[in-house]
């Protein structure tokens, strides 16, 4: 009887887990957790990306939502990891301080982030988001588009933040490049020198210098990305920035037969507004719209396209 009991214990222990310092730890207890702070407050909403760089190849192991500042990864395997936090919030251009996507080690660049060698058990690590507290306001904007190699699988599933740096190369704001078109816009900028820094773990970035002057309200930049680096190029874009007061005026520079159909869709193709207009005064009510990029299409009833344009809408 004793011999049978002994054999049973030998067989069942590996199934339950392993022993560390005399304590049984199951696979489900292999966790990585912590809190994300905005100064003294907890980040209410965002995503935390767990990036495996065990062999200096950066790949997304997992992603989790921030819940009232807390995050948790479970069922982890041993490896070398770093964390990347991207805050999410209803963006207010005039809110300060600005909080920037941050890696473990308090860096906005993957090259200077801090990795942790994870073996097993429960590991905790808090993240304090980088911030910029000095208010700024102006009448200029920088808009652009980023292109990248879709075959790159390193930091997959991670959106691409475009970090705006001031002339001292300190991060002061960020935007997430549109996942379909790669478009981004920074508004309300004063004159001065800026740098644009696209951030993808494992990909080297060459920051693009932009000089904003009062007589150049719209600056555009295009980034071409390969498997080794992010190489910026200056190029004209097709974006039409429009500041509206809850109405978008549509101008058609050609003769056309009424009525016409006007439709606004978001960049995923979802129809937001679709109306028929029987007069030449074409206004689209944009009250309640989120600030962002939309696609405008105007066509006749026989489906002839009169106008197609990307527009940036922001209501005041």
């Amino acid at each position: 009887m004793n011999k049978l009991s002994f054999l049973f214990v030998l067989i069942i222990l590996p199934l339950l887990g392993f022993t560390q310092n005399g304590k049984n730890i199951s696979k489900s207890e292999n966790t990585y957790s912590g809190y994300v702070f905005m100064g003294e407050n907890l980040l209410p909403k965002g995503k935390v990306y767990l990036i495996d760089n065990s062999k200096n190849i950066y790949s997304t192991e997992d992603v989790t939502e921030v819940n009232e500042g807390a995050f948790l990864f479970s069922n982890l395997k041993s490896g070398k990891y770093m964390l990347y936090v991207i805050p999410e919030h209803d963006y207010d251009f005039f809110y300060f301080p600005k909080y920037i996507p941050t890696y473990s080690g308090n860096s906005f660049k993957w090259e200077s982030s801090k990795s942790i060698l994870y073996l097993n058990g429960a590991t905790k690590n808090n993240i304090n988001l980088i911030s910029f507290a000095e208010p700024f306001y102006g009448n200029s904007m920088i808009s652009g588009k980023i292109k990248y190699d879709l075959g790159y699988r390193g930091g997959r599933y991670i959106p691409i933040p475009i970090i705006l740096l001031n002339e001292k190369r300190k991060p002061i704001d960020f935007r997430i490049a549109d996942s379909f078109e790669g478009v981004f816009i920074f508004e309300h900028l004063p004159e001065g020198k800026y740098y644009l820094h696209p951030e993808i773990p494992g990909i080297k970035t060459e920051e693009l210098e932009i000089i904003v002057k009062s007589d150049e309200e719209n600056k555009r930049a295009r980034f071409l990305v390969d498997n080794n680096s992010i190489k910026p190029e200056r190029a004209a874009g097709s974006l039409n920035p429009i500041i509206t007061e809850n109405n978008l005026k549509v101008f058609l520079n050609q003769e056309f037969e009424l009525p016409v159909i006007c439709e606004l869709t978001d960049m995923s193709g979802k129809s937001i507004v679709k109306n028929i207009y029987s007069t030449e005064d074409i206004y689209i009510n944009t009250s309640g719209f989120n600030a962002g990029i939309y696609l405008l299409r105007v066509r006749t009833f026989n489906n002839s396209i009169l106008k197609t344009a990307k527009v940036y809408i922001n209501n005041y």
Side-chain angles (χ1 to χ4, degrees), residues 177-190:
D178 176 83
S179 59
F180 294 93
E181 294 291 330
V183 174
F184 62 90
I185 291 180
F186 293 94
E187 288 189 285
H188 307 297
L189 298 178

Side-chain angles (χ1 to χ4, degrees), residues 13-129:
L13 273 179
L15 299 178
L16 292 176
F18 51 89
T19 301
Q20 180 184 8
N21 296 328
K23 178 183 177 182
N24 288 337
I25 298 178
S26 68
K27 185 179 179 181
S28 64
E29 290 180 299
N30 292 343
T31 61
Y32 199 156
S33 64
Y35 289 90
V36 181
F37 288 91
M38 304 166 48
E40 296 181 354
N41 299 315
L42 293 171
L43 175 67
K45 187 178 179 182
K47 285 187 173 65
V48 183
Y49 296 85
L50 185 70
I51 302 170
D52 185 347
N53 62 330
S54 299
K55 299 179 181 178
N56 292 323
I57 299 175
Y58 294 80
S59 62
T60 309
E61 183 70 18
D62 201 357
V63 58
T64 188
E65 298 278 350
V66 174
N67 184 9
E68 298 300 326
F71 67 89
L72 171 67
F73 295 100
S74 57
N75 296 326
L76 294 181
K77 61 183 180 181
S78 298
K80 185 181 177 185
Y81 297 101
M82 66 181 184
L83 300 176
Y84 190 35
V85 181
I86 299 182
E88 298 175 0
H89 44 77
D90 295 329
Y91 200 82
D92 184 342
F93 295 110
F94 307 107
Y95 177 83
F96 289 90
K98 306 285 189 183
Y99 290 96
I100 313 296
T102 306
Y103 290 99
S104 50
N106 200 39
S107 172
F108 70 95
K109 296 182 179 181
W110 64 269
E111 297 97 326
S112 51
S113 65
K114 181 180 179 181
S115 299
I116 295 177
L117 183 62
Y118 177 84
L119 298 176
N120 49 56
T123 297
K124 294 184 178 181
N125 186 37
N126 295 334
I127 302 291
N128 292 290
L129 291 177

Side-chain angles (χ1 to χ4, degrees), residues 252-260 277 279-280 282 300 306:
L252 298 176
N253 298 322
Q254 64 185 82
E255 293 184 0
F256 58 93
E257 292 185 4
L258 295 169
V260 296
Y277 294 87
T279 69
E280 295 183 5
I282 301 175
T300 63
L306 297 175

